[in-house]
Amino acid sequence: MSIEALRAALPAYARDIATNLSVLAEETVLPDQAKWGCFVASAHAVGEPSALRAIEAAAVAAGAFRPKRSRRPRPPRRSWP
């Protein structure tokens, strides 16, 4: 999902968020990777899983974001008496 598609999917009461998405998308001072970093960080802050997946997918498609690979958790260390 592109930023514009996500913006269009927002309800009317989220007009300020839609405006912020548009302004950031059209920003020319920041490099693309920094812009996508802002989008991804904001999506994490909001905490809406579908928005986060959409933003991360758009960032990956734009080539500006590489999701961190999850590592298997290590087993707990044994403590000897």
Side-chain angles (χ1 to χ4, degrees), residues 9-76:
L10 291 172
Y13 61 81
R15 186 181 63 181
D16 58 335
I17 295 173
T19 302
N20 290 340
L21 285 172
S22 292
V23 169
L24 184 58
E26 295 169 4
E27 176 65 49
T28 59
V29 175
L30 294 173
D32 283 344
Q33 189 171 15
K35 280 194 248 186
W36 284 106
C38 290
F39 286 132
V40 171
S42 298
H44 275 280
V46 170
E48 173 58 38
S50 60
L52 178 57
R53 283 191 303 272
I55 293 288
E56 285 185 347
V60 168
F65 178 73
R66 199 171 26 151
K68 185 177 179 182
R69 292 187 201 182
S70 62
R71 297 187 313 185
R72 272 187 10 194
R74 293 182 181 178

